[in-house]
């Protein structure tokens, strides 16, 4: 490697910044936050201009977007999916539910909030958050992803 | 047919609808953001923590003051606290809250100090002029004075008045 290494690292860094792929996981959400996340992909907000792509497989994704308080049935799925994402990865909690379980806190069928199951890097508050806030949050998540890649 | 042609011509003339990334979309009028408190207008009644569906607002009396706390991570942004606040102390920010990295980063707290009762000196939740106006209209001096007293002194004062012969002043 030697001479090539810094060039390759810069290339990887640039690729991370310009094409972060996103995996969306619904951990028992009411669908409000999911609709706002889909609104980000519409031509008006157009989150794809940041190089984002909504990816179907967690193995190809860099950012995990979680919506909803974690219900008992989705807990193990969330753990598995988080483990399937390649490093470096960033977990974004969209809405109040993944942050604190919101109105569902204390329910016997809720195992959340998300940070009790997997580490969360960024919280986007709102019930649901506005698409503009989601786009801003994803842009911040990309910065966190690049910082994590450099640290690795 | 003509309708779609008109729409197509309009789209051609309009240019792209996509917002370039760091685009600021102005928040719509009446957007409910984070809850703010004006401690000067708070009556320390605790209605906000009672009506809060997700327990984002908590309040407790301790050592002659009312400690008010708000955790936005739990907030549903429903606006019930603002609606029910009798002293109009609560309001909501007109813009959406920013994202955060550590839980509890946006939390807000306030301490409402209780003024001392003019008779016994016990700390006592204060009564704002605005609330007096809402509840009693324009009360006379005696009612106004009674409202400033603590509960025990107020009871004593009213009981003394009842003991007096009819028409007498306490």
């Amino acid at each position: 490697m030697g001479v090539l290494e810094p060039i390759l690292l810069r290339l990887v860094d640039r690729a991370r910044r310009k094409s972060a792929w996103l995996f969306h996981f619904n951990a028992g959400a009411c669908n409000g936050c999911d609709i706002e996340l889909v609104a980000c992909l519409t031509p008006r907000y157009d989150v794809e201009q940041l190089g984002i792509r909504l990816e179907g497989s967690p193995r190809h994704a860099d950012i995990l977007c979680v919506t909803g308080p974690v219900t008992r049935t989705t807990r193990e799925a969330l753990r598995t999916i988080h483990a399937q994402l390649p490093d470096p990865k960033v977990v974004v909690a969209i809405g109040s539910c993944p942050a604190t379980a919101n109105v569902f806190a204390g329910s016997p069928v809720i195992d959340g909030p998300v940070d009790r199951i997997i580490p969360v890097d960024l919280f986007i508050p709102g019930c649901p958050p506005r698409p503009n806030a989601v786009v801003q949050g994803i842009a911040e998540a990309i910065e966190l992803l690049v910082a994590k890649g450099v640290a690795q | 047919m003509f309708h779609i042609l008109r729409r197509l011509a309009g789209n051609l003339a309009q240019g792209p609808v996509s917002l370039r990334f760091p685009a600021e979309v102005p928040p719509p009028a009446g957007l409910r953001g984070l809850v703010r408190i004006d401690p000067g207008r708070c009556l320390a009644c605790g209605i906000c923590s009672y009506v809060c569906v997700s327990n984002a607002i908590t309040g407790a009396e301790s050592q002659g003051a009312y400690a008010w706390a708000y955790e936005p991570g739990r907030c549903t942004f429903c606006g019930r606290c603002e609606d029910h606040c009798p002293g109009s102390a609560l309001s909501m920010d007109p813009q959406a809250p920013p994202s955060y990295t550590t839980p509890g980063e946006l939390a807000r707290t306030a301490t409402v100090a209780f003024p001392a009762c003019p008779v016994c000196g016990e700390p006592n939740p204060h009564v704002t002029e605005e609330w007096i106006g809402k509840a009693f209209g324009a009360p006379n001096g005696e009612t106004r004075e009674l409202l400033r007293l603590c509960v025990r002194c107020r009871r004593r004062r009213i009981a003394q008045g009842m003991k007096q012969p009819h028409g007498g002043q306490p």
Side-chain angles (χ1 to χ4, degrees), chain A residues 43-46 49-50 96-97 99-100 102-103 105 115 120-127 130 132-133 135-137 139-140 144, chain B residues 17-28 31 34 53-54 71-77 96-103 106:
Chain A
R44 181 162 160 78
Y45 291 97
D46 193 27
Q49 68 186 295
L50 300 173
S96 290
C97 284
T100 58
N102 202 350
V103 288
D115 51 3
V120 180
D121 299 289
L122 193 76
F123 297 92
I124 304 174
C127 189
R130 304 184 65 212
N132 206 26
V135 176
Q136 288 281 353
E140 278 174 43
L144 288 176
Chain B
V17 288
S18 296
L19 300 160
R20 280 312 232 164
F21 164 57
E24 276 301 315
V25 182
L31 180 95
L34 301 182
V53 272
S54 53
E71 165 50 37
R74 300 195 70 150
C75 190
T76 320
F77 304 94
S99 49
Y100 57 97
T101 51
T102 42
L106 299 178

Side-chain angles (χ1 to χ4, degrees), chain B residues 39-115:
Chain B
R41 300 171 84 172
C42 179
L43 304 167
C45 61
I47 291 280
C48 47
S49 55
Y50 179 70
V51 298
C52 184
V53 272
S54 53
N55 292 343
I57 297 177
T58 46
E61 265 183 47
S62 64
Q63 291 156 5
Y66 181 73
W68 181 90
Y70 168 61
E71 165 50 37
R74 300 195 70 150
C75 190
T76 320
F77 304 94
C78 59
R80 271 164 67 89
C81 50
E82 191 192 11
D83 282 353
H84 286 81
C85 184
S88 314
L90 298 181
S91 54
M92 295 183 103
D93 285 343
Q95 74 269 9
S99 49
Y100 57 97
T101 51
T102 42
E105 200 177 302
L106 299 178
R108 289 174 174 182
T109 52
T111 313
V112 182
F114 291 167

Side-chain angles (χ1 to χ4, degrees), chain A residues 8 10 15 17 48 74-75 80 90 112 114 119 134 145 147:
Chain A
L8 279 173
R10 270 184 63 194
R17 194 185 293 278
E48 287 181 359
T74 55
R75 183 190 60 200
T80 314
V90 170
V114 171
V134 177
L145 182 75

Side-chain angles (χ1 to χ4, degrees), chain A residues 24-39 67-69 94 97 104 127-129:
Chain A
H24 171 217
F25 182 70
N26 180 334
C30 70
N31 226 24
C33 297
D34 309 309
I35 285 171
E36 298 302 318
L37 186 63
V38 173
T67 52
I94 296 178
C97 284
F104 306 107
C127 189

